[in-house]
Structures are given as structure tokens and as C-alpha cells.
Amino acid sequence: MPGCLLDTLAGQRTDRRPVWLMRQAGRYLPEYRELRAQKGGFLELVYDCEAAAEVTMQPIDRFGFDGAILFSDILIVPHALGQKLWFEAGEGPRLAPALVDGAWEGLERAFQHFEAIYRTVARVKARLGPETTLLGFAGSPWTVATYMVAGQGSKDHSAARKLAYRDPAAFASLVEAIETATIEYLVGQIDAGAETVQLFDSWAGSLSPAQFERWVIAPNARIAAAVHEQRPGIPVIGFPKGAGAKLVNYAHETGVDALGIDETIDPVWINGELPAEMPVQGNLDPMLLLAGGPALDDSIRAILSAFSDRPHIFNLGHGIDKETPIAHVEHLLKLVRG
């Protein structure tokens, strides 16, 4: 029997509100920190399928979330496209060469990097009960491109934005390459056992409306259509963080099955703007979960009320903070589950 999360993604309002948290497998858990210390670097942990499966299962074993999100990273796709990938301690990811001119064609593809991720998915699927939904994911092309062009993360994504304006043909070629790899990657995750997939567009909020249409909506629409065509029945969740009012067009035009919303969105407003019965996911502020107290309770209840007549997956507006007390997560689950 499918779990309540899959039922919700199918458009049903269930008696039990499903809940999972972005980055639920990670540094706020002592068991994760212990395993990370044993394995060394972050990328080594991601590509160690036994360890990555264990990390994916840790929050399920501890909290019993309704969804298990694959432990991996959105930069697996650029690594597979041929960029070198490593993580600097305290600095974040690095990619080389930086594609400041968008010229990805000279890279030597290494799609074998996907295989370790597929093995992780299969191992997690074998350990999960039918009540828990396994979520795969990938970064959306715009967000992935910002890292590929700059060679690292950035605050304003200026390198990618300038390239998209200065040489839209070169940038479109890069986005198309990411798109093609992402479709293969997501289909591979599904074949390994993922029951739904999420597209993370973490930096969608940095674009103007016209650029958002071209570099966020259009690529995500093509990816969603390809996944639906190649693996019918598998729901696609779209999460364009920071999109604001542009969420409405995203929901109508991309063809995603459910919409993730960040903490800056008024849940009452977006509930009135979206297509009827479209499932939504979100949108508690991660900082509020960190802080706790009466404001946390009030916000949880407000979100539950705003989406009481719509299929809704309770989640954060972005990833859980590494300093979040475990007791606050336990308290959240008690409130959401009544």
C-alpha cells in the first residue's frame, strides 16, 4: 500500500498530513556527524552507497518521517558532465574548469558517477516500509548552471546571469546539456526505486520575469514532461525557491505535479492563486524551527489551516539548519500529526 505522501501527491486529502523536511539527513543529527567523521569528506560520503543509504535512513529511523529524501548533492550532474568537483572545508563546493564562457563541449562526460547514486537508492528502497515514500532529486538547470559557470556558489549568481544576457546561445547550450543529463539521472533514480522526484531550483529568485520564463520555467517543463513520458505515474515536485509571485506561472506552465514553496510565501495567498487541488509542499521557516517557542506553534497551525482544503505535504521552506535542536523536530511532528 502506498504511503500518505504518495496519496497526497496524487491529489488526495488524507487523514494524516504527510511530513518530511528538506536536508532532514544531515548535520543536526549526531549519528550523521559520527558517520561523517568516520568517512571523511562529504563527496566521499555521497559516493559510498552503503554510507549514503545509512544517512538517508537515519531520520526515518529516528523520527518516522513519511518521506525519505535521497542523501546526495545537486552537483552530481556537473560532475557527470565532466567538471571536476570537490568540497573545500568551510568554503563549499568547487568545480573546474569554471565555464565562464559556457563552453561545456570540451568536457569529458563521466556518467558513471550516477551509478553510485542509483545503488544508494536501491539500498534505501530495500530498507523502507511501504508507508514511507522514497524521494529522488536533482538540481534544476538554472541553479546547476550558476555553479558550473562560476565554479562555485555565489551570492548574486552574476557570472551566470551575465553569460545568459551576453551570449544566450552559449548559455542555452549549457542548460540543454544539464537538462538532458538531469532527465537521464532522474529516470535512473526512478528505475532504482525512487517513487517521486523533486527538482530543486534554489537560486530561481535571482532572475527577472523574462529570464525566469526562459531559464526556470521552460527547462523544468521539459524535464517534467520527459519524466512523465518515460516513467508514467511518477510525480514530479517543483521547488523554485525565491520565485515569489512568479510561482503562479511556474505552477501553471511547468506541468509539475506538486509545488514546493519557501518560507517567504504567504500560504493563504498562494492557496488562493494555485490551480484547484494542486498539491503543495512547505513552508515553515527553518529559522523558526531552530528558534522554537510559541511562534513555532502558531506558524505550524497557520500553515496547516491555510492548506486544510488542499492536498498538502508539511515541510520547511528550505533546508533544516544544522543547529536545530532535535527536540524541536519532535515537537513539530507531534503538532503536525495531532
Side-chain angles (χ1 to χ4, degrees), residues 142-203:
W142 162 253
T143 289
V144 172
T146 66
Y147 288 95
M148 294 184 74
V149 172
Q152 60 185 12
S154 61
K155 291 183 178 180
D156 59 5
H157 321 115
S158 59
R161 289 164 63 198
K162 285 187 289 187
L163 177 61
Y165 280 124
R166 186 178 65 245
D167 193 344
F171 193 72
S173 177
L174 175 60
V175 165
E176 182 180 352
I178 298 168
E179 211 178 283
T180 300
T182 299
I183 292 167
E184 177 173 333
Y185 185 42
L186 291 176
V187 169
Q189 291 180 40
I190 292 164
D191 290 346
E195 298 164 283
T196 181
V197 292
Q198 176 157 312
L199 288 165
F200 284 90
D201 224 336
S202 301
W203 307 132

Side-chain angles (χ1 to χ4, degrees), residues 160-293:
R161 289 164 63 198
K162 285 187 289 187
L163 177 61
Y165 280 124
R166 186 178 65 245
D167 193 344
F171 193 72
S173 177
L174 175 60
V175 165
E176 182 180 352
I178 298 168
E179 211 178 283
T180 300
T182 299
I183 292 167
E184 177 173 333
Y185 185 42
L186 291 176
V187 169
Q189 291 180 40
I190 292 164
D191 290 346
E195 298 164 283
T196 181
V197 292
Q198 176 157 312
L199 288 165
F200 284 90
D201 224 336
S202 301
W203 307 132
S206 62
L207 291 171
S208 69
Q211 296 291 89
F212 184 88
E213 286 281 339
R214 182 167 188 181
W215 306 122
V216 173
I217 287 181
N220 280 289
R222 291 189 291 266
I223 292 170
V227 171
H228 289 147
E229 179 183 2
Q230 295 182 38
R231 298 298 180 267
I234 297 297
V236 177
I237 306 168
F239 178 57
K241 186 178 185 297
K246 298 188 287 291
L247 274 172
V248 179
N249 285 350
Y250 182 100
H252 282 277
E253 296 174 19
T254 57
V256 298
D257 301 280
L259 182 69
I261 54 177
D262 66 55
E263 69 273 17
T264 68
I265 300 299
D266 179 353
V268 174
W269 170 76
I270 195 64
N271 187 59
E273 295 293 327
L274 292 178
E277 300 301 317
M278 183 179 197
V280 296
Q281 177 178 275
N283 70 325
L284 183 72
D285 189 340
M287 289 297 101
L288 192 48
L289 183 61
L290 170 63

Side-chain angles (χ1 to χ4, degrees), residues 47 73-80 85 87 93-95 143-144 147:
Y47 282 137
D73 193 87
I74 65 170
L75 299 183
I76 301 303
V77 164
H79 202 197
L85 171 64
F87 286 78
R94 295 291 186 268
L95 291 158
T143 289
V144 172
Y147 288 95

